[in-house]
Amino acid sequence: MTTFLLVPGLYLGGWAWEAVAAELTAKGHRAVPVTLPGLGERAGEDAAGIGLAEHADAVAELLDAQEPGVVLVAHSYGIFPSVAAVDRHPEKVARLVIVDTGTPETGEAVVTLMPHLLEAADGPVLRVPTGLDPVHGVPEAEEERYLRLITPHPLRTVTDPVELTGAWLKVPTTGVFCLANGLSLEVARALYATGAPRFAKLAEPGVTFFELPTGHYPMLSTPVELAEVLVGAAAGEGRSLLGD
């Protein structure tokens, strides 16, 4: 049995992982969907007082409460608090699975990489989206649930820089690329070919990759397939960057 800690992206709570968690549980594993401070059922918390450190603390506390061998799954924005937590507790994590996003460098904020997010700033929060692009392949019923359950996202979590020691780099990782959103093994190979130090880890032993023919929200569009990928990732399966 593997424990999967499931960290969501912007605007989402642990509810976004319900279908994936059910699939993992049916396969005999333990799934722990995470709702970060100020989001989901915790949306009543003071958004102005919640920054990236509070989100990183929340993930780190959950990690600290588990036995070693956790597979930490981070979707999109979730990689920022997740990589900060892994950096503190690398001994707890058997594998970091990165769903349709990259990894930050120390000192970077989410808006460093995605400055357009500031267009949604409304006081201490980011306003919720009005819908999902059809390219993401989310079924109508799931999109309706998404729009009903998403909550404004604390602004400081995307403007605060992440501080890392580099300890997380020793943890095996798996990238899950969602092809309809533009990320793929081909893109990763092109990034690695630039020779930029931040992409060196992509080709290291133990780093694997999967591709899913869906958009940026595979937990909503293809939960069964995503659960299968997560189980495979936990077993060290997947393609290497340069091996095929």
Side-chain angles (χ1 to χ4, degrees):
M1 182 193 77
T2 299
T3 294
F4 291 87
L5 204 62
L6 307 169
V7 183
L10 290 172
Y11 310 111
L12 305 174
W15 59 265
W17 293 104
E18 287 175 1
V20 174
E23 290 292 328
L24 292 172
T25 300
K27 295 176 185 294
H29 301 288
R30 178 170 174 260
V32 183
V34 177
T35 296
L36 295 168
L39 293 155
E41 63 271 23
R42 305 178 64 178
E45 299 175 26
D46 177 21
I50 298 171
L52 182 59
E54 284 69 31
H55 279 186
D57 288 347
V59 179
E61 287 171 10
L62 283 169
L63 264 183
D64 197 39
Q66 314 304 318
E67 295 296 322
V70 171
V71 173
L72 180 57
V73 182
H75 170 244
S76 193
Y77 157 80
I79 191 59
F80 272 76
S82 294
V83 78
V86 175
D87 202 57
R88 300 183 205 174
H89 296 293
E91 74 287 351
K92 289 281 191 174
V93 183
R95 185 166 292 269
L96 174 63
V97 181
I98 305 162
V99 180
D100 210 43
T101 189
T103 55
E105 298 279 287
T106 190
E108 287 182 339
V110 177
V111 295
T112 306
L113 308 175
M114 302 176 67
H116 68 276
L117 285 176
L118 292 177
E119 297 172 9
D122 184 9
V125 299
L126 298 174
R127 293 185 302 275
V128 297
T130 56
L132 292 174
D133 193 298
V135 73
H136 297 307
V138 176
E140 183 177 353
E142 274 299 283
E143 181 173 359
E144 290 175 355
R145 188 170 76 104
Y146 166 88
L147 291 172
R148 185 173 72 253
L149 296 177
I150 54 175
T151 48
H153 193 97
L155 178 63
R156 282 184 43 230
T157 66
V158 301
T159 58
D160 290 349
V162 64
E163 300 299 335
L164 304 169
T165 68
W168 78 273
L169 292 167
K170 300 175 184 177
V171 174
T173 61
T174 293
V176 180
F177 297 129
C178 296
L179 298 177
N181 198 44
L183 290 179
S184 66
L185 263 170
E186 181 180 0
V187 170
R189 287 171 180 145
L191 292 172
Y192 176 74
T194 66
R198 71 180 300 151
F199 302 123
K201 183 176 171 63
L202 296 175
E204 289 182 359
V207 177
T208 63
F209 299 93
F210 290 85
E211 293 178 326
L212 284 173
T214 189
H216 187 57
Y217 300 89
M219 67 287 295
L220 304 179
S221 59
T222 54
V224 174
E225 293 84 351
L226 179 57
E228 290 174 352
V229 162
L230 296 183
V231 171
E237 298 172 4
R239 299 163 67 185
S240 63
L241 189 73
L242 305 177
D244 52 17

